[in-house]
Each structure stands twice: as C-alpha cells, then as structure tokens.
Amino acid sequence: MRNTSDPIKENSHVMNAQGGEKKVMKKILSVALSTAMAFSMFASVAFGDTAVTPQQQFDALKAKGIFNGYPDGTAGLDKEMTRAEFAKVITKLLGLKEITGVYSYNDKNYNAKNWAAPYIEAVTAAGIMEGKNVEKKIFDFNGKVTIAEMATILTRALDLEIPTETNNSAAAWAKGYVQAAINAGLIDANANFSANASRELLVGAAYSIDQAQSLKVTSYTVSEAGKVVEFKISDGETVKVTLDKALEANKETEVKFTYKDKEFTEKVTYVVTAATKLETVSASNLKEVTVKFDGKLDEKTAEDTSNYSFDEVDYTFESATLSEDGSTVTLLLDDSSNVFLTNQEEYTLNIEGVKNADSSKTFSESKAFTPVDTVLPEVTEVKGLGTKAFRVEFSEPVKESSVNTTSNFKIDGKAISGYVSYAYPNVAIISTDLSVGEHTLTVSNVEDYNNFKNATKDIKFTVAEDTTAPQVTSVKTTDLKVVEVTFDEPVKSVSSAYQTSSSKTADTITVNDNKVTLTFSPANQLSLGSNTVFLTGVTDYSNNSADRQATVDPTLDTERPTVASVKAAVKENNHVFTIEFSKDVNDEDVVAANFTLKDSDGDVVQGYGFDSEGHPLANGLELVSNTGGKKYTLTTIGKLPADTYTLEIANIRDTAAIKNTMLPYSTKLNLADVSNPAIAGTWYEVPSNNSERLNIYVQYDKAIAVSGTGNATDVNKYSYKLQGSNSYLPLPVNSSVTAVNAETVRISLPAKDGGYVNTGDQVGLQIVNIADVNGNYLVDTNGNYVVTTTVKAKAENAIGVVKATATSKTRVKVEFDGLLSSVNANDFKVDGQSLKTVSTTTDNGHSIVTFDITGDELTVSDPTSVLFTSVDSPKSVNAFGIPVKGGESVNLKDGIAPASTSAPLIFGTDTVTGATYAVVTFDEAVKVANNTTGFLVYVKGQAATVTAVDQVGVDADQARVVFTSDNLATGNNTVEVYLNSNNSSAKYVTDIAGNAATSAKKTGTYTKN
C-alpha cells in the first residue's frame, strides 16, 4: 500500500463510516464533553500529557481565537458562564459557520445588534443547542448553564438510552438525562446538578474538545473501484491514499498512512451494494405493484408511500414494503373496493424521493408498466386458532365481498356455521366451533380483483386446544402518537388502551390480524423516555382474554428535512417550481417569507409574483395533492426572463412530534430552457406504393431526445387505436419510429390486410415519457407523462390562427396553432391593409409571427373591432407542406399599452387633507391600483414621499398622485412624476384590457402660494 502525505483540499461533501460529517461533529463534541466533564467536574484523574492549569488552558484557547477574555485582560475563570458564551465557544471550537440575518428566538434585544446571535443561530442550526423555552422560542442568552444542562447535552450528544427508573436529585425534567449520564459512568451521582457551571469548567471542557479535534480522521471516501481512499482530517485537509491492492467489497479493512508525522490506522469499508438504477416495475395482480432496483435501498424512503404515484389514476397506497434483501418494494393499493388496476392497461408509476442504501442517489423517474394477472388466487396457509376459529391466508389480495361469505368455506365437506372477519389484503379469520384434531378445508368462489376465483383444493390443518390469551411479541413507535403492538396470534378485540396512566387513553384502536395499532391525541402522546402501554381485554378467537402491557422507548425522528429536488417548468405562460422535500413538512412553515428568489446578480426578484424582498405572493405557494406534505409548487405571474436564478428556502420544519428544522438551503435554476416540449402537429399518410401501410407523423415544438430515458424513437413509447376502437394497443410487431428531423418523428406501421384507415378516419395516439434534448418531458395539462392526441389525414390538416394581437397601432403579433417553416406576408391583411413580416418565434408548439402594417396606422381606440384575415389559398406552410388555413378571419385583441399624453401635469390641493397632488393624463382609459409605489415624485430634484395614488373617475384616463415634500417652497417648484419602471410586471397602471402602461416621465411647475 502506498500512502500520500500531500493533503488535497476538497469542497465537496464527504461521507464517512459513521454516517457523515454531522455525526462526526456530534461524536467529537460528545467525546470531548465526556472527557471534560469526567476530569473537570466529577473525576479525580490527572491530565497526563495535557496537565496544564486552567489559566494555561485559557491562554492556549485565546491564542486560537476561541476565547477573548475580559477588557482588563483577565480570564474570569471564577465567573459563571452564560448560554451565549457557551454558544460562542462551541461555534468557534467546531468551526461552525456563523449565521447572520436569521433570528430564530423571541428574546428581548435578540437582533442584529446582539453579539451572540450569529453563534446562537449556528449551534441551533447544527442541532447542538436549543431554546430554554421551545414553545415561546426563548433562548435565554444571558441565562446560566447548570451542570444538569451540561449533562443533558452530553446525554443527547452520545445518544445514551434514557432509563425509565431514576435515582438522582436533579430536577424532574432532567432526571432521565442525568440518570443516563450516571449509569454510563460519566457523572457523579452526588453532584449538585442545579449549580451553575463556571467559566473555568467551560475552559476545561473547551480545551478537551480542542484536543479531541486535533488531527483525527473525520470521514473517508472510497473511489476508483476500491483502489483509492481519501481521508478527511479534522484540520480540514484531505489525504489521498492509493492502495497496492483494491479493497474487498463490503469487508472492513485497516488502512495505514502518515500525516504530519502521525501514524494513522483506520478501518474502512468499501460498500458497493447500494442501488444505482430502477430495473423493473410490474404487477402480477391488480392490487400490488412490484418495484425492483439493482441494489439496496434506504428503508425509510423506500417504505414512504408518498414517494410513489400514478399518472393515470389518483390512487394512494396502503403500504410500501421493502424486501429482506433491500432491493424490491411491494406497493399495496388502498383498502377500497373501487381502487384497483385494470388488467392489460398501461400505467406510469412515478418515483420521487426514494434513496439508495448509502444515500448517494435519490431516484426521480417514471416507468411505464402493464399489469398482467393470469394466475388464480390460492390458499397458501391455514392455521387453527384453538377450537373456535381458524385463519386462512391467500396468495394475493382478494375481495372482501367474496371472503365474507361462510358458504365459500367448508370443513370436512360440511357447511360452516359462524362468521368471517376479513383482514386486508389477503387474510380471512372464520369463527366456528371445531373439534381437536385434523380437519380438511375446502375454499371456493373467493375472487381476486381480476374476478378470478380461487383454485379449489383441499387443505389439511390441525386444531389444538388454545387456553392462553395473546402474548405481546413486539412493540414499536417511530412517533409519540402511534404505537404498533404485535401479538403471537390473531387478536379478535381489545377493550381499551392507554399509556402511563388510565387518563391517557388511546383515541383509536385498530386491529388487523395479529397487529394492534394505537393512536394517541397530542394531549395524551407518549413522553420522550420509556413509556408503558396498557391494553385491557386483549381477546383471541378462542375467547381467551387478558390485560397486557409493554414498554416502548420512542425512537424520535431527529432527521432534519431537506430539499430533495427543485424542478422548473413552464405552464400556462408561467414558471412553475416544483419543490420536493425529503419528508412531510409543516404546512404552517410553507409561507412566503421562507422562500426568496434572486437573479444572477444576487438581487432579489421583484414583480412576476414576488414582492420587494423577493418573496412569492402567498397564493403562489400550493401543496401538491396526494403527496402528504412533501411536495409544493411555486408559481410565478408570467414567465421569468431567461437567466440563472437562486432559490433560497429556510425555516421549514417537519411534522415530527418534536419538529426538526431544515438548514438554510439554496439552489441555482437555469431558466434558459425549462419548458416542457409540446406537440406542434400530427398527421398521417398512407404510402402511395402500399395502401396497407400507415405512417403517422408527430411534430414537437423543439428538438427531442433520440436516446436515453426520454428517447422519442422508442417504439414502446407509443400506443394507437383505430376509428371505432375503445382502447389503445401497442404498436404492431415490426413497427418502427424514425427521427425525420430534430423535432419530428415518423411512426411506420407495417402492412396489414385491408390497411388501417378509411377516408375521413381519425387515429388515436398515446405517447409516454418523451423528453426534449434538455431533459424536459412532454406532459399533459395535469402534468402527467402520458399524453393522448387525435391524428387526422395530412390532407385534412391546416394551421389555424389562435389569436392576433395589436401591440401598437402599426404592429400585430399573430399566434398560429403549428410550427411554420415559411411565412408569406402577402397571405394576411389587417383591416384590409398589407403586412410586412418582422420576426418569427416559437412557443409551446406554436409559431408567433410579428407583422408591421405597411399602410395607415390603426385609427380606432379599441382594436378589437379590426379583423386579421388570411387569403383563400395561403402559401405559408410548415416543414411538411401543411398550409395555413385559408379564408380565416379573427378579431384583433387589444395588446396596446397605454401611454401618458403630452398634456401637462395638473396640480392641486386635496380639500380634505390639504395634501398636494399631481394628475397624469393617459391616451386611453386606465385602471389605477391604490398604492404608494406605482409612481415616484421629485421636487426640485429631491425625492418626495408619495402618500396615495388613485384613479380620477371610473375607467377614466387620469391618475392622481398625492405627495408631500419638505422641499416645496412658496413660489414656483419644478416637479417630476415618474411611472415606476417595474410597472410592466407589477401592473400598477393598466388599460381596461389589462395592458401595463409604459414607463413615463412628466415634468411640470407647481406654484405654491
């Protein structure tokens, strides 16, 4: 093995064997604190090599900038330390980034002037300290730090188990934490836990932490097929070690190297089992979907049902179960008789937010699949539940309606007298009297969701006497409100349940087979320590009943939410950002103030649906349905200009019982091309040399992918249906899809007896998972990746006018419902006058052509009465010769912006308030928003204060601007009035049609008496 002592600096995040930099930081803190507390507070041991006095420790830390001391130069070791001082020292010790501009607490004088705020925010964001009063958000920065509080930090940092029984004199809130530290041998049981810790104690702890951080390996990465290991050292440097022999996969191996004259021996593991790709999605029955990956997944995200959805149906999942090998997820659809898939019909499963086992990859993709159910349901297990019931399990989900019929079950050839209990999805428990011994069960007429009845066969099972009530086999909770108790046999009923005391009863008790789920209200939820759960009247199907109890230690969710992805798209001429979090977040936190958009210059975006601070308007944020609380959209007002933007998100908490707050997040969004491709046109042709073949053309509005997951030339992406057919079919064998040009594909169907179409027929086409060359996918109006369209014969196609808009009295902009490759201005007229082509652009599959009127300008004030017309036989065509529709007439739309006229400013004084005002006159009726930012006023070159802006009359052509200025003097005053330059997006002043007025400057003389 060859080692390299040369450090290389890295900016990228590096994981380590303990789970990453965050755990390393906590580990350093916990070890150092335990060391410091052990020798500084409670143990009488020598320092050894670090045997220095507290003053010497202080001097060493002061040299590193961790302590400053008092103005008189003293260390103040005998003084008590404050929470603010503690926060600063921890920040400096661990190299945390000081956070400015964020104030998470409500303490008096906790603001930008508070010296400790950046350090308090740093330790809060790192999860090391929290407020003294979490509900009121009070940090208490001047408060003292007690020994009990230090013990609490130590216990949390070390993740010690909090015992149910305590024997110490600490306050009630701290007993569990203190006892954990005592049991671990970290503190003296006789310490005065309420006493304040001194600065000397803080110096000792800080010195130990500093020593603990010196030259340690904090993380490592393995690359180049196990040949290279890069170790991140605690001083921030990286040591790259190239091995003579590659590491053996998934085996812990010692690697030795030297750095700064220190020998390191580190155990590393080259892990290669994490999934890298989605392999298949399939369904062998109509209630379950099997999702297979090529490696192991992260269990938490894989079993989060909100990470999966369909394009075609609004179904949710009952559960997502990860296989034992960690590579396959089985999705079970909701327990509803109306929720099931259709056999042989194509679906698209969307997977968002599922991580692989090492979190190096988060899957975000869609895959089409077709359920194929050809197998009859069958009985896989029969088990006697004493002499009064038996349990039947089927091979797949079965209909409750077919199970809940006792006539479908026979014992020893005889009908059963009793009743059936159904446990979704595939279990039936039949209550009936049974004799001890062997029996034969016959099951018939039980149906799956494809209406297949079970394969009838006789199954033998044994009945034994059952005299024991159900016993608890496990109990778990990942939340303080829900407890799942598993028993050793199916449970028939539970009378009641509570935790700790009879007053803390469960709101709901759900029994499903051998599992009992208890849900507690927030008022009765579990505590952070060990809890005892009591269940009374736990009864099995032999009517054995007993009270049971179990102890459960909640595993709190301490994982901060993160932003999993931000995707930008264009919808209805607006930009839509889809923001997906790693877990459900608190809806109350998804507010405008927590989102900020900045442009490439770092300036906040104003207008387009954002306020002066770059925050979106409240109605711009919306939760995406059926995603729990994981996915939100942020919609702009109009498309943002092409640029690279930065979206910042902060202060978002999750929905855990004790909410976790995400760290500030930012991401760059290149909006040069985020629009989804659209279908610009479709048509079909029957080849002249073979009337039994068919060619279907699909023209997109932009260059499309011809490889990768969005490949538009993949025959599996297309299905068709002929005139009179009700369902889409896969393309026939030997069909092909060819890229005719960058935007167009030809789908060629092979010869078929009698051909495919008759004159006037239409062909239905379904398209799935097609992307452009930038990875933007074709979607329908609901954002689904499956798009359907109707295809007509080429001869029956013509490109029509969507709208024609007058943008000035000499210019019109015309949108066509297809892509034109040749535009002949002689094909069109406005008010009978000839046109000249100015420019042609494309948008959403449509050509946008701008024409100038070559004759007289429009004389009407309202252009909506003027016609845009095409000649009978236009020469303008698309790239395949399909022409513009002839003889078409549409009325112009009003797109002419109002402008201020040459009329002078009109000055006056408000008769009620005495305020001065100026009136601006426009060239048409306008609507004026009541605001103070639409206009700017200057008096003698100095800015005045605008106090109101209003409209003169209803739909009149004047706006009144009220202002005050200390610069107004008796006599003549030069006054300038400007329409705010962002009026185009903010629309303070518009005409009746909603066109924003152009920027204007008016100057006048106001004579003050």
Side-chain angles (χ1 to χ4, degrees):
M1 177 179 72
R2 181 172 64 87
N3 70 70
T4 302
S5 297
D6 254 352
I8 56 174
K9 299 198 174 181
E10 293 285 341
N11 292 321
S12 60
H13 178 72
V14 180
M15 297 297 292
N16 78 340
Q18 287 75 37
E21 293 171 343
K22 179 178 176 181
K23 281 194 174 182
V24 170
M25 183 177 68
K26 288 185 69 178
K27 183 178 180 183
I28 291 171
L29 175 63
S30 63
V31 171
L33 278 180
S34 63
T35 304
M37 294 177 72
F39 68 62
S40 299
M41 288 194 291
F42 315 112
S44 55
V45 297
F47 276 92
D49 291 340
T50 58
V52 292
T53 66
Q55 182 63 48
Q56 289 172 321
Q57 293 175 347
F58 174 83
D59 292 339
L61 295 172
K62 183 178 180 182
K64 291 186 175 184
I66 295 172
F67 279 86
N68 293 330
Y70 288 91
D72 60 2
T74 62
L77 297 176
D78 58 338
K79 298 181 182 294
E80 295 175 345
M81 67 176 175
T82 67
R83 288 169 57 81
E85 291 169 339
F86 191 70
K88 177 182 176 181
V89 171
I90 294 299
T91 300
K92 293 290 188 180
L93 276 172
L94 299 183
L96 302 178
K97 182 180 179 181
E98 298 169 21
I99 299 175
T100 59
V102 178
Y103 307 98
S104 302
Y105 298 100
N106 296 329
D107 300 61
K108 184 178 180 181
N109 296 326
Y110 187 77
N111 49 41
K113 296 181 180 179
N114 191 310
W115 67 268
Y119 309 112
I120 293 172
E121 293 298 333
V123 295
T124 299
I128 296 172
M129 295 182 72
E130 59 183 11
K132 213 53 175 306
N133 188 320
V134 176
E135 292 182 357
K136 294 183 178 180
K137 293 186 178 180
I138 300 299
F139 186 82
D140 189 19
F141 51 82
N142 287 324
K144 309 301 182 183
V145 179
T146 67
I147 294 176
E149 288 169 342
M150 289 192 71
T152 299
I153 293 175
L154 175 63
T155 298
R156 289 175 177 170
L158 291 174
D159 291 326
L160 298 178
E161 182 178 356
I162 301 176
T164 55
E165 297 183 3
T166 60
N167 182 22
N168 60 70
S169 60
W173 67 268
K175 280 186 178 292
Y177 299 105
V178 169
Q179 194 65 47
I182 292 172
N183 294 348
L186 300 174
I187 63 174
D188 190 337
N190 297 317
N192 181 6
F193 305 110
S194 61
N196 293 333
S198 66
R199 278 174 56 85
E200 180 177 343
L201 182 61
L202 175 58
V203 168
Y207 186 82
S208 298
I209 293 172
D210 184 59
Q211 293 296 301
Q213 291 187 103
S214 299
L215 296 184
K216 291 181 179 294
V217 171
T218 60
S219 64
Y220 69 86
T221 58
V222 181
S223 60
E224 298 183 26
K227 287 282 290 182
V228 174
V229 185
E230 291 185 7
F231 294 96
K232 187 73 175 289
I233 311 299
S234 56
D235 62 359
E237 302 297 331
T238 300
V239 175
K240 181 177 179 180
V241 179
T242 301
L243 307 177
D244 295 328
K245 181 181 177 181
L247 295 171
E248 186 177 339
N250 303 316
K251 179 181 178 181
E252 190 177 75
T253 306
E254 285 190 349
V255 175
K256 297 181 179 181
F257 66 94
T258 302
Y259 175 63
K260 290 188 176 179
D261 298 325
K262 180 178 179 180
E263 294 287 339
F264 288 82
T265 301
E266 299 294 327
K267 293 181 178 180
V268 301
T269 302
Y270 176 37
V271 180
V272 294
T273 59
T276 61
K277 65 179 180 179
L278 170 64
E279 289 191 331
T280 60
V281 176
S282 61
S284 59
N285 67 71
L286 307 185
K287 272 287 192 177
E288 293 176 309
V289 179
T290 302
V291 188
K292 182 171 178 54
F293 295 81
D294 68 344
K296 290 187 177 182
L297 301 171
D298 164 60
E299 181 179 9
K300 184 174 182 181
T301 57
E303 294 193 337
D304 185 346
T305 57
S306 65
N307 285 337
Y308 308 90
S309 64
F310 291 116
D311 269 354
E312 298 79 7
V313 288
D314 195 19
Y315 290 169
T316 56
F317 295 102
E318 180 90 5
S319 64
T321 305
L322 187 63
S323 61
E324 287 189 10
D325 68 1
S327 67
T328 303
V329 180
T330 301
L331 302 172
L332 175 64
L333 291 174
D334 251 350
D335 179 12
S336 169
S337 59
N338 296 323
V339 174
F340 59 90
L341 304 174
T342 300
N343 200 36
Q344 300 288 351
E345 184 173 306
E346 189 172 76
Y347 294 86
T348 302
L349 182 71
N350 303 314
I351 302 169
E352 294 277 357
V354 175
K355 298 180 180 180
N356 64 359
D358 62 6
S359 296
S360 62
K361 180 179 178 65
T362 300
F363 292 94
S364 176
E365 57 187 282
S366 301
K367 198 171 190 69
F369 72 100
T370 301
V372 179
D373 186 355
T374 59
V375 180
L376 303 181
E378 61 179 32
V379 176
T380 56
E381 182 185 56
V382 181
K383 184 178 181 181
L385 305 177
T387 58
K388 296 185 181 296
F390 62 95
R391 179 183 183 276
V392 183
E393 184 170 337
F394 294 89
S395 58
E396 63 174 295
V398 290
K399 293 180 180 178
E400 182 176 6
S401 58
S402 68
V403 171
N404 287 342
T405 305
T406 55
S407 61
N408 289 344
F409 302 89
K410 290 184 179 182
I411 295 292
D412 302 327
K414 298 177 182 179
I416 293 174
S417 176
Y419 62 90
V420 182
S421 298
Y422 171 75
Y424 183 71
N426 62 337
V427 172
I429 298 176
I430 297 92
S431 297
T432 188
D433 291 332
L434 298 166
S435 60
V436 173
E438 187 177 80
H439 294 275
T440 300
L441 172 68
T442 305
V443 181
S444 60
N445 297 320
V446 172
E447 293 184 349
D448 66 11
Y449 287 84
N450 199 30
N451 299 322
F452 287 159
K453 291 182 170 58
N454 71 289
T456 302
K457 64 179 181 180
D458 294 338
I459 301 175
K460 296 186 181 300
F461 69 103
T462 302
V463 171
E465 197 76 43
D466 179 13
T467 59
T468 306
Q471 300 284 345
V472 175
T473 58
S474 68
V475 58
K476 68 177 183 178
T477 177
T478 54
D479 184 86
L480 301 180
K481 301 173 192 159
V482 179
V483 178
E484 183 180 275
V485 186
T486 303
F487 291 87
D488 62 351
E489 62 175 315
V491 173
K492 184 178 180 181
S493 63
V494 177
S495 299
S496 65
Y498 59 91
Q499 63 95 1
T500 307
S501 68
S502 57
S503 62
K504 296 184 177 181
T505 58
D507 276 14
T508 61
I509 303 173
T510 304
V511 179
N512 190 317
D513 202 9
N514 66 327
K515 296 185 186 299
V516 177
T517 303
L518 311 176
T519 304
F520 294 90
S521 66
N524 292 335
Q525 71 182 26
L526 279 64
S527 61
L528 296 177
S530 292
N531 299 263
T532 302
V533 178
F534 300 88
L535 300 94
T536 65
V538 181
T539 306
D540 63 17
Y541 283 86
S542 292
N543 293 327
N544 300 305
S545 184
D547 296 342
R548 299 299 185 202
Q549 68 182 59
T551 300
V552 59
D553 295 315
T555 303
L556 288 183
D557 181 356
T558 58
E559 179 185 352
R560 295 178 183 272
T562 60
V563 177
S565 67
V566 178
K567 296 180 180 178
V570 175
K571 187 175 181 180
E572 297 177 356
N573 206 40
N574 301 318
H575 273 111
V576 178
F577 303 119
T578 300
I579 303 157
E580 181 168 5
F581 295 93
S582 59
K583 59 199 301 194
D584 288 354
V585 297
N586 184 25
D587 190 60
E588 294 178 359
D589 294 339
V590 185
V591 295
N594 290 337
F595 296 80
T596 306
L597 188 67
K598 296 179 179 178
D599 61 22
S600 57
D601 294 327
D603 298 325
V604 297
V605 174
Q606 300 184 54
Y608 300 98
F610 294 85
D611 64 19
S612 59
E613 296 181 337
H615 303 317
L617 302 180
N619 58 3
L621 288 164
E622 186 175 356
L623 174 66
V624 178
S625 60
N626 292 326
T627 63
K630 288 183 64 175
K631 190 180 291 188
Y632 288 79
T633 57
L634 192 166
T635 303
T636 67
I637 299 176
K639 286 197 298 186
L640 292 163
D643 194 4
T644 298
Y645 294 87
T646 299
L647 179 64
E648 298 176 350
I649 307 174
N651 302 320
I652 305 294
R653 298 173 298 167
D654 60 18
T655 57
I658 299 179
K659 293 179 173 57
N660 301 291
T661 304
M662 68 175 284
L663 297 176
Y665 168 89
S666 68
T667 187
K668 291 191 179 298
L669 300 165
N670 187 344
L671 299 189
D673 182 12
V674 298
S675 62
N676 300 101
I679 296 175
T682 61
W683 64 92
Y684 69 76
E685 289 182 315
V686 176
S688 57
N689 61 346
N690 191 336
S691 62
E692 294 182 343
R693 294 179 59 214
L694 184 69
N695 288 333
I696 301 173
Y697 291 81
V698 183
Q699 185 181 33
Y700 299 93
D701 68 334
K702 57 200 322 195
I704 41 138
V706 293
S707 62
T709 57
N711 184 3
T713 61
D714 184 348
V715 295
N716 298 310
K717 301 291 185 71
Y718 302 90
S719 304
Y720 78 113
K721 66 178 179 180
L722 301 177
Q723 186 90 19
S725 175
N726 293 322
S727 59
Y728 287 95
L729 300 173
L731 296 182
V733 176
N734 296 326
S735 295
S736 64
V737 182
T738 306
V740 179
N741 59 29
E743 299 87 17
T744 309
V745 297
R746 180 180 60 241
I747 305 167
S748 297
L749 279 60
K752 169 188 173 185
D753 289 344
Y756 294 89
V757 293
N758 296 310
T759 302
D761 278 0
Q762 296 182 354
V763 177
L765 189 65
Q766 180 175 274
I767 307 172
V768 180
N769 285 351
I770 298 295
D772 64 19
V773 292
N774 292 312
N776 305 302
Y777 277 81
L778 176 73
V779 294
D780 66 8
T781 54
N782 295 317
N784 298 321
Y785 292 91
V786 179
V787 176
T788 58
T789 186
T790 300
V791 184
K792 297 188 294 184
K794 180 179 179 180
E796 298 177 22
N797 272 269
I799 299 172
V801 174
V802 177
K803 62 181 177 180
T805 304
T807 58
S808 75
K809 292 188 177 182
T810 60
R811 180 165 289 185
V812 293
K813 182 183 290 186
V814 184
E815 179 180 354
F816 295 89
D817 64 359
L819 291 176
L820 298 178
S821 62
S822 174
V823 179
N824 189 324
N826 294 326
D827 290 341
F828 312 102
K829 294 185 182 298
V830 169
D831 200 20
Q833 299 189 80
S834 299
L835 303 177
K836 179 177 68 175
T837 303
V838 176
S839 65
T840 301
T841 60
T842 61
D843 183 47
N844 199 32
H846 293 174
S847 283
I848 313 294
V849 184
T850 300
F851 298 98
D852 273 351
I853 302 172
T854 60
D856 297 331
E857 66 177 28
L858 299 175
T859 58
V860 294
S861 58
D862 181 5
T864 57
S865 61
V866 177
L867 290 178
F868 174 84
T869 60
S870 61
V871 299
D872 290 338
S873 299
K875 296 179 181 178
S876 301
V877 294
N878 72 1
F880 297 89
I882 297 176
V884 166
K885 189 180 297 182
E888 188 174 24
S889 298
V890 297
N891 289 88
L892 294 181
K893 294 184 176 295
D894 183 3
I896 302 174
S900 60
T901 68
S902 58
L905 290 173
I906 302 171
F907 294 100
T909 304
D910 190 285
T911 57
V912 177
T913 65
T916 305
Y917 64 80
V919 174
V920 181
T921 304
F922 291 87
D923 61 359
E924 61 176 307
V926 291
K927 291 184 177 181
V928 181
N930 187 0
N931 68 93
T932 59
T933 55
F935 287 87
L936 307 175
V937 177
Y938 293 85
V939 176
K940 297 179 180 178
Q942 292 188 5
T945 301
V946 176
T947 59
V949 175
D950 53 26
Q951 195 164 327
V952 179
V954 178
D955 293 344
D957 60 359
Q958 292 181 324
R960 187 178 71 154
V961 184
V962 184
F963 62 93
T964 60
S965 172
D966 294 336
N967 215 30
L968 279 174
T970 301
N972 293 334
N973 297 269
T974 301
V975 178
E976 300 167 83
V977 179
Y978 296 85
L979 178 61
N980 199 319
S981 60
N982 68 353
N983 187 64
S984 59
S985 58
K987 294 191 174 183
Y988 305 113
V989 180
T990 68
D991 63 12
I992 308 305
N995 299 300
T998 55
S999 298
K1001 173 187 176 182
K1002 300 294 295 182
T1003 303
T1005 300
Y1006 170 61
T1007 303
K1008 183 178 179 182
N1009 296 323

